[in-house]
Every structure is written in structure tokens, then in C-alpha cells.
């Protein structure tokens, strides 16, 4: 068993399997989740459940957050009884949520007031890779902090990429999800077009898989969309959040993102049509409703 004490905050779709992998790797893990019931499977395994983010941070060498949006992670880290209230000098705080690079810098600013170190370390990969410990982890922060955290990150991910200074992991993550949002929106439109023209959807998948721009995504998510399986692995509300954050980053960096803006509208309308909690692939269902 490792002597490192890990505090894991946020046991949602991603956080729960990630924290389980830390346990399996032999780390001493303490958990906390806003909705207490999600910590019960951990308590049943004898894992300590902390009273608040500050309490967990006070007893951890490395604190990890995996929550939803910038405002949520700011509340958990910088709010009353938050990570910064409890963190010890020399400890490390790793935020793995998908947030804006400006939010990452704000979190780093908070923990450095306590002589602690910070990494933004968002992930590529959904519930499956999170369960298998096969995430791709994009890291922003000092190389020395990454090296101290590497054994812990390696228990959750198979590929660790150092993107640059604080905020660089978040920037690379948003640019990566930009491609995923475009892929999902493009596939949904193409699939609908093929179906409405009376062709067999599986033929469309066959062509895409034989193409030079083939992707394993078509076999997993694409095949699921053809079967109308919108069970949630990555909630549509989170993809909409990511596309909004891409727009904000576009403004900050003076980058024109006209196609991403159009896709943002598509996710906004899908959310307004009641699909927030469904998988992001449910944009197909929204497009179908709009096309009838
Ligand atoms: P999720 O299932 O919706 O879980 C969200 C977690 O954040 C829950 O533990 C929730 O607590 C907590 N939370 C939200 N707001 C909070 C607040 N104000 N205070 C305290 N806790 C709060 O989301 P997820 O799919 O695990 O995603 C987590 C993060 O990873 C997001 O940033 C997402 O964009 C990113 N991500 C997701 C995927 C994916 O495929 N799912 C892949 C890569 C990255 P409660 O239980 O109390 O609601």
C-alpha cells in the first residue's frame, strides 16, 4: 500500500470509477461527495468519507476534484469549507474537471496562497476508459508537480500528456472536445440525411469505417446512435457546457469559431428540449424532432 493520502471530491459518472481505481492501486483514499448517497459504495468498502472538502484536504497529500462546471469547482475549492481552507503547505491539488483555463488559473491562485501546488488535469475518455483506468490525462502545471503526482495519475490513465503551464491542460481539453462536438453533430446530421433518403443507416457506418477519416468512435457511439441508445456516459448538459467554454476561450484568444458557435446553438436547443441529462449523442433525437 502507498503511504500517499489521496482525497477524492466528486463521485459522479467519472469520479466514482476513477476513485475506485486509486483504491485498487493501493492508495489511502478518502472521499467526499455533495450528495452523500454516492459515497455509500465507498463507505461499504471501509473508505473514510470526509465531512467537507476542507476536512478531506486537511488529511490529504493530494486532493483531486472531479465535478461539473467552473462555478462548481470554484465552490468546492475556493468556497467556505473548501479545499483551500484545509489544504496543507506542500500538498498538491489536482483538478480533473473540464473547466476553462481562466478557472484553472483562479484555482491555482487560491492554493498557492497556502504554499500548496496545483495541476489542471482534465481527461479524455468517458465512463468506459474511466472504469478501465485508461483515460488520457492532459496536464497543466509545473513538471515537478506532475512528477510528484504521476503515480496517482497513472492509476487512472494510460496516457499522460504535459501540455504546459497552469491552464494548458484545460485549453487542450477544450480543443479536443471541440473535435468531439463537431464529430457528433456532423454524424447526427449525416445519419439523419441518409435515413430520410430511405437508405440503410448501417451502410453509412460501413462507408465511414472504410474511409481515411475512420474512427473507433463510429463503432461505439455511432452504432449506439443508430440503435437510439442515448444512455448517459457523457451528459449533454456537460457537452453544452464545454462548447460554451470553447466560445469563451475563442473570445479570450480572438479566435473565430463559427462552426462551434452553430453547434453551441444545437446543444442549447437540445437542452431546452429536455435532453440535458441524456447522453450528448441525443442531439440526434433533437434533430429528428426538428426535422419532422
Ligand atoms: P456527473 O456525473 O454529472 O457528476 C458531477 C459531479 O460533480 C457529482 O459528484 C456532483 O455532485 C458534483 N458537483 C456538481 N456541482 C457541484 C457543486 N456545486 N458542489 C459540489 N459538487 C458538485 O459528471 P461527470 O460525467 O462525472 O463529469 C465530471 C467532469 O468531467 C465534468 O467537468 C465533465 O465535463 C468532465 N468529463 C466527463 C466525461 C464523461 O464522459 N462523462 C469525460 C471527460 C470529462 P452531486 O452528486 O451532489 O450532484
Amino acid at each position: 500500500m502507498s503511504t500517499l493520502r489521496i482525497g477524492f471530491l466528486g463521485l459522479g459518472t467519472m469520479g466514482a470509477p476513477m476513485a475506485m481505481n486509486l483504491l485498487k492501486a493501493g492508495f489511502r483514499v478518502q472521499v467526499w461527495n455533495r450528495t452523500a448517497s454516492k459515497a455509500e459504495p465507498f463507505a461499504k468498502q471501509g473508505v473514510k468519507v470526509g465531512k467537507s472538502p476542507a476536512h478531506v484536504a486537511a488529511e490529504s497529500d493530494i486532493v483531486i476534484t472531479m465535478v461539473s462546471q467552473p462555478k462548481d469547482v470554484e465552490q468546492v475549492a475556493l468556497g467556505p469549507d473548501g479545499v483551500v481552507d484545509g489544504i496543507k503547505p506542500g500538498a498538491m491539488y489536482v483538478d480533473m474537471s473540464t473547466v476553462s483555463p481562466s478557472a484553472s488559473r483562479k484555482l491555482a491562485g487560491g492554493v498557492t496562497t497556502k504554499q500548496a501546488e496545483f495541476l489542471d488535469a482534465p481527461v479524455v475518455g468517458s465512463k468506459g476508459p474511466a472504469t478501465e483506468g485508461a483515460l488520457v490525462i492532459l496536464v497543466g502545471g509545473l513538471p515537478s508537480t506532475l512528477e510528484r503526482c504521476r503515480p496517482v495519475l497513472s492509476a487512472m490513465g494510460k496516457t499522460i500528456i504535459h501540455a504546459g503551464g497552469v491552464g494548458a491542460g484545460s485549453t487542450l481539453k477544450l480543443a479536443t472536445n471541440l473535435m468531439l462536438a463537431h464529430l457528433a453533430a456532423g454524424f447526427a446530421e449525416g445519419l439523419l440525411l441518409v435515413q430520410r433518403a430511405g437508405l440503410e443507416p448501417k451502410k453509412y457506418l460501413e462507408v465511414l469505417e472504410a474511409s481515411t477519416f475512420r474512427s473507433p468512435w463510429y463503432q461505439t457511439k455511432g452504432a449506439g446512435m443508430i440503435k437510439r441508445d442515448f444512455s448517459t456516459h457523457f451528459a449533454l448538459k456537460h457537452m453544452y457546457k464545454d462548447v460554451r467554454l470553447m466560445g469563451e476561450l475563442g473570445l479570450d484568444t480572438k479566435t473565430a469559431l463559427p462552426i462551434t458557435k452553430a453547434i453551441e446553438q444545437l446543444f442549447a436547443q437540445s437542452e431546452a428540449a429536455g435532453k440535458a441529462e441524456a447522453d450528448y449523442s441525443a442531439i440526434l433525437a433533437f434533430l429528428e424532432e426538428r426535422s419532422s
Side-chain angles (χ1 to χ4, degrees), residues 10-15 32-35 38 66-68 72 75-76 97-98 123 125-127 173 233-234 238 241-242:
L11 303 169
T13 306
M14 297 293 284
W32 174 86
N33 193 70
R34 178 181 59 180
T35 305
K38 287 189 194 161
M66 190 57 168
V67 299
S68 303
D72 302 313
Q75 190 177 336
V76 172
S97 329
T98 305
V123 303
S126 194
K127 197 172 158 182
K173 168 63 188 174
H233 286 229
F234 178 33
H238 291 326
K241 171 260 300 179
D242 289 357

Side-chain angles (χ1 to χ4, degrees), residues 3 101 169 182 191-192 196 219-220 241:
T3 53
H182 285 224
L191 180 62
L192 203 52
R196 296 283 161 126
Q219 260 310 331
T220 51
K241 171 260 300 179

Side-chain angles (χ1 to χ4, degrees), residues 15 24 32 43 51 83 115 121 136 153 156 189 197 205 250 252 277 292:
K24 281 187 209 150
W32 174 86
K51 288 197 205 101
V83 173
Q115 289 77 52
V136 178
L153 297 180
M156 297 180 282
E189 285 191 351
L205 208 55
D252 288 349
E277 303 297 332
S292 56

Side-chain angles (χ1 to χ4, degrees), residues 136-179:
V136 178
I137 306 179
L138 312 176
V139 180
L142 289 174
S144 55
T145 314
L146 168 57
E147 288 320 310
R148 290 177 68 201
C149 292
R150 191 179 285 278
V152 174
L153 297 180
S154 297
M156 297 180 282
K158 69 170 186 329
T159 308
I160 298 171
I161 295 171
H162 185 229
V166 167
S170 295
T171 301
L172 212 49
K173 168 63 188 174
L174 290 179
T176 304
N177 265 23
L178 182 149
M179 283 304 301

